[in-house]
């Protein structure tokens, strides 16, 4: 048998890209490729890119520049750009960086093997269509190899919300939900390969409305279907929009034992004036009431959020509204960003907040969030949690896993294997993780 060719994929950005990279690797497996951990010696390099903020997009070009040497050493090396930068900039990428042989947008990954073949005959290949055919259906066969116990599964893509700052509706397109039966087949297949925890992914995952046997199904409906799969122990989903947090989903948080008590529910800002300008279609009060309802259903749920500071026209008073909201909610985790103007979005036309001021707000917000996160984490000490072991730790016998609240937990002398679920008593809270001992030990 001929030696397999080597594919190096570097993934930027969100978890959807992590999932897509896996699927691309599998598709290229059918074209004689296996993945490698290093760009050196690869026959093909693929950057799966993110366009959400300017810095993320610029990283791609500096990374591409670094491949110049590799390409002169090996003229047969093919370099491809996938993901949201590919979608947003298309041919411009090849103009700016002639090293690039292939540009493929997120909706065209099933065409990757055929595009790669075209580059082998000296062509440049570009595909940033939003084709009618379902890329996941075309990518459907997943190899049977064993894999880690926690997996991502994309159930929904795209977004119709058009927040004024966001490129997603342009790069990922309109909201599309995958049919229920395909998701269940993929989930069962993952479980057969050793997966015990599945995180359902979508840019607007709780807007899920995939075709089921009796008409469209909600995300809660899908979760209850997944709940019936033996061997699947944990279900998560991300990212949710506050306006799509339906009653049946809130209820599922109270009644579905496999649904983990963690919810990523971005609010972006705590100021009604800014939320309106962001076109978020919810306000501060409706968000806070929603949080109350979710906590009534599942009191121990850990909430996580996204925040943007320095959105055009944000004043210090608006920013204080965000800080107050954070105080009121108490997040166990949060991601915060300085506003980054994205070409083609409505907010890109507006006057920017002074950069030093925006940086200062980000600093203050992150300090508050870090304190909250730590307080929430510290309160775990003395409690018993369940941990799914994902990998061995640095020390002999030590295992590393995640609690139901998504905290990283180290357990010394765990006497456990990767994929085991264990009850663990938390004994210490560190900078970024918890340590525990097996309960009863
Ligand atoms: N500038 C800064 N942050 C942004 N996000 C999305 N677009 C922008 C932008 N233009 C953030 C939002 C979103 C997260 C994925 O990225 O907080 O929830
Ligand atoms: Fe972007 Fe999320 Fe708003 Fe959609 S809901 S436009 S993905 S920030």
């Amino acid at each position: 048998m001929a030696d397999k060719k080597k594919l190096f994929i570097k993934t930027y950005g969100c978890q959807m890209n992590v999932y897509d990279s896996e699927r691309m690797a599998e598709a290229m497996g059918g074209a004689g490729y296996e993945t490698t951990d290093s760009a050196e010696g690869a026959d093909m390099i693929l950057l799966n890119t993110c366009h959400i903020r300017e810095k993320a997009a610029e990283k791609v070009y500096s990374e591409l520049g670094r491949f110049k040497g590799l390409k002169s050493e090996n003229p047969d090396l093919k370099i491809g750009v996938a993901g949201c930068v590919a979608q947003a900039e298309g041919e411009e990428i090849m103009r700016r960086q002639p090293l690039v042989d292939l540009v493929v947008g997120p909706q065209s990954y099933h065409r990757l093997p055929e595009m790669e073949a075209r580059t082998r005959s000296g062509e440049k290949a570009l595909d940033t269509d939003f084709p009618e055919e379902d890329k996941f259906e075309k990518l459907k066969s997943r190899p049977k190899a064993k894999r880690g116990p926690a997996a991502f599964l994309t159930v929904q893509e795209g977004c119709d919300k058009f927040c004024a700052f966001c490129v997603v509706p342009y790069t990922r397109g309109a909201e599309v939900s995958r049919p229920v039966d395909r998701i269940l087949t993929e989930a069962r297949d993952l479980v057969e390969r050793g997966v015990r925890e599945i995180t359902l992914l979508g840019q607007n995952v709780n807007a899920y409305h995939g075709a089921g046997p009796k008409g469209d199904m909600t995300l809660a409906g899908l979760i209850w279907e997944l709940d019936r799969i033996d061997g699947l122990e944990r279900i998560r989903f991300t990212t949710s929009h506050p306006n799509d947090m339906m009653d049946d989903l809130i209820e599922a948080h109270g009644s579905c034992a496999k649904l983990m008590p963690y919810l990523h529910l971005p609010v972006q800002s705590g100021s009604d004036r800014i939320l309106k300008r962001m076109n978020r279609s919810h306000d501060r009060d409706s968000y806070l009431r929603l949080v109350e309802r979710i906590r009534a259903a599942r009191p121990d749920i850990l909430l996580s959020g996204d925040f943007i500071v320095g959105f055009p026209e944000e004043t210090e008073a608006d920013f204080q509204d965000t800080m107050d909201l954070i105080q009121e909610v108490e997040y166990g985790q949060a991601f915060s960003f300085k506003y980054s103007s994205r070409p083609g979005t409505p907010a890109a036309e507006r006057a920017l907040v002074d950069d030093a001021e925006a940086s200062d707000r980000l600093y203050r917000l992150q300090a508050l969030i870090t304190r909250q996160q730590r307080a929430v984490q510290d309160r775990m000490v003395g409690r018993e949690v369940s941990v799914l072991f994902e990998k061995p730790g640095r020390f002999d016998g030590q295992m590393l896993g995640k609690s139901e609240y998504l905290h990283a937990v180290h357990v010394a002398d765990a006497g456990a294997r990767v994929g085991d679920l264990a009850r663990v008593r938390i004994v210490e809270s560190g900078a970024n993780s918890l340590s525990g001992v097996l309960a009863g030990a």
Side-chain angles (χ1 to χ4, degrees), residues 80-96:
V81 178
C84 295
V85 174
Q87 189 63 44
E89 302 196 355
E91 241 168 307
E92 175 63 22
I93 298 174
M94 290 174 178
R95 266 199 296 275
R96 222 174 124 179

Side-chain angles (χ1 to χ4, degrees), residues 116-131:
E116 184 269 349
R118 281 197 348 246
T119 66
R120 294 280 155 210
S121 55
E123 273 179 57
K124 297 233 173 199
L126 171 93
D127 193 334
T128 53
D129 288 351
F130 284 95

Side-chain angles (χ1 to χ4, degrees), residues 143-157:
K144 295 288 175 201
K146 274 268 182 213
R147 47 165 305 147
F152 294 132
L153 201 174
T154 293
V155 301
Q156 175 280 331
E157 270 194 291

Side-chain angles (χ1 to χ4, degrees), residues 31-272:
Y33 277 88
E34 63 184 12
T35 51
T36 165
D37 292 338
S38 110
E40 282 82 39
D43 300 282
M44 183 174 184
I45 295 174
L46 202 53
L47 300 186
N48 192 6
T49 62
C50 173
H51 200 245
I52 197 100
R53 285 168 292 275
E54 189 180 355
K55 261 197 202 141
E58 280 309 311
K59 250 191 229 160
V60 176
Y61 287 101
S62 61
E63 185 77 34
L64 284 169
R66 272 189 248 151
F67 297 141
K68 207 171 248 158
L70 291 178
K71 189 114 174 177
S72 54
E73 273 165 37
N74 173 15
D76 287 337
L77 168 66
K78 300 298 175 198
I79 296 179
V81 178
C84 295
V85 174
Q87 189 63 44
E89 302 196 355
E91 241 168 307
E92 175 63 22
I93 298 174
M94 290 174 178
R95 266 199 296 275
R96 222 174 124 179
Q97 184 45 274
L99 291 178
V100 173
D101 301 284
L102 178 155
V103 172
V104 59
Q107 301 311 324
S108 306
Y109 292 156
H110 52 298
R111 298 178 179 163
L112 191 58
E114 173 258 322
M115 292 174 74
E116 184 269 349
R118 281 197 348 246
T119 66
R120 294 280 155 210
S121 55
E123 273 179 57
K124 297 233 173 199
L126 171 93
D127 193 334
T128 53
D129 288 351
F130 284 95
E132 280 296 309
E133 74 252 31
D134 176 352
K135 73 167 173 198
F136 292 117
E137 178 59 2
K138 299 274 174 192
L139 284 170
K140 76 178 162 198
S141 62
R142 304 198 69 169
K144 295 288 175 201
K146 274 268 182 213
R147 47 165 305 147
F152 294 132
L153 201 174
T154 293
V155 301
Q156 175 280 331
E157 270 194 291
C159 182
D160 298 333
K161 296 280 192 291
F162 291 93
C163 297
F165 49 81
C166 186
V167 287
V168 166
Y170 312 95
T171 53
R172 291 276 173 164
E175 201 277 305
V176 179
S177 293
R178 296 177 67 193
V180 174
D181 59 346
R182 305 229 180 103
I183 294 167
L184 294 179
T185 305
E186 196 171 322
R188 283 189 206 103
D189 184 59
L190 287 168
V191 170
E192 268 172 39
R193 292 161 61 199
V195 168
R196 304 189 78 187
E197 169 178 313
I198 292 182
T199 302
L200 306 174
L201 298 180
Q203 269 96 17
N204 232 222
V205 73
N206 56 344
Y208 176 84
H209 56 97
K214 294 186 212 119
D216 279 4
M217 200 175 256
T218 61
L219 184 66
L222 179 66
I223 288 168
W224 283 113
E225 288 296 316
L226 290 161
D227 180 69
R228 289 164 39 186
I229 300 179
D230 282 341
L232 178 62
E233 307 295 343
R234 292 175 152 195
I235 304 168
R236 305 180 187 276
F237 60 89
T238 195
T239 288
S240 298
H241 191 286
N243 284 13
D244 293 314
M245 217 48 221
M246 298 305 164
D247 290 348
D248 60 347
L249 189 55
I250 296 175
E251 240 163 65
H253 268 296
S255 54
C256 179
K258 290 186 182 179
L259 185 57
M260 293 294 102
Y262 179 100
L263 180 66
H264 184 57
L265 194 66
V267 64
Q268 313 296 356
S269 167
S271 152
D272 279 340

